[in-house]
Amino acid sequence: QLQGKEKAILRKIYEEDQSHADCLKGIHYFTFDTPLAIRPIPPAPESPIISLRKAYGRKLRSLHQYERRFDDPEYGAVYQALACQEREHCRLILELVGNLKK
């Protein structure tokens, strides 16, 4: 539903989320020696503001889960990098909302 700069920002977040999923799949494979299937959830038909509010909440929950794993001896650095990106995603989402509400 969004165009221009807003669409490009959402595309960036989407692509980085795909990278997060790949990292988590890799960690799962190395830990359990089995592949992990992650199925995307189709977007609900709702306004951009409602979708962004929900996305912000999911980002905060992911950030919290990553932060809980910073001390992991094997993957702590990966979780720290993912958390850094999640913080940036939170900032970008808030920026998008601010721009949409001008």
Side-chain angles (χ1 to χ4, degrees):
Q1 296 177 355
L2 301 178
Q3 299 299 317
K5 177 183 173 185
E6 290 83 12
K7 185 175 182 176
I9 290 170
L10 288 177
R11 169 59 69 181
K12 175 185 177 186
I13 291 172
Y14 172 80
E15 289 171 356
E16 289 178 356
D17 282 348
Q18 293 300 308
S19 174
H20 291 199
D22 290 341
C23 287
L24 295 173
K25 287 178 185 180
I27 289 170
H28 184 274
Y29 188 81
F30 280 172
T31 303
F32 300 105
D33 201 29
T34 60
L36 176 65
I38 299 175
R39 284 177 250 121
I41 300 169
E46 55 199 8
S47 75
I49 295 295
I50 291 172
S51 294
L52 290 169
R53 182 186 304 266
K54 289 179 180 180
Y56 186 78
R58 286 190 303 270
K59 292 291 180 184
L60 289 177
R61 287 188 294 279
S62 294
L63 175 59
H64 176 71
Q65 291 300 318
Y66 294 149
E67 287 173 340
R68 290 181 53 217
R69 292 167 172 80
F70 280 4
D71 292 334
D72 183 284
E74 290 183 81
Y75 307 111
V78 173
Y79 289 121
Q80 288 178 24
L82 296 176
C84 183
Q85 283 187 325
E86 290 293 18
R87 279 188 207 95
E88 177 63 7
H89 292 175
C90 287
R91 188 195 68 75
L92 289 170
I93 289 169
L94 293 174
E95 180 182 323
L96 281 172
V97 171
N99 283 334
L100 291 174
K101 291 311 225 176
K102 285 183 181 176

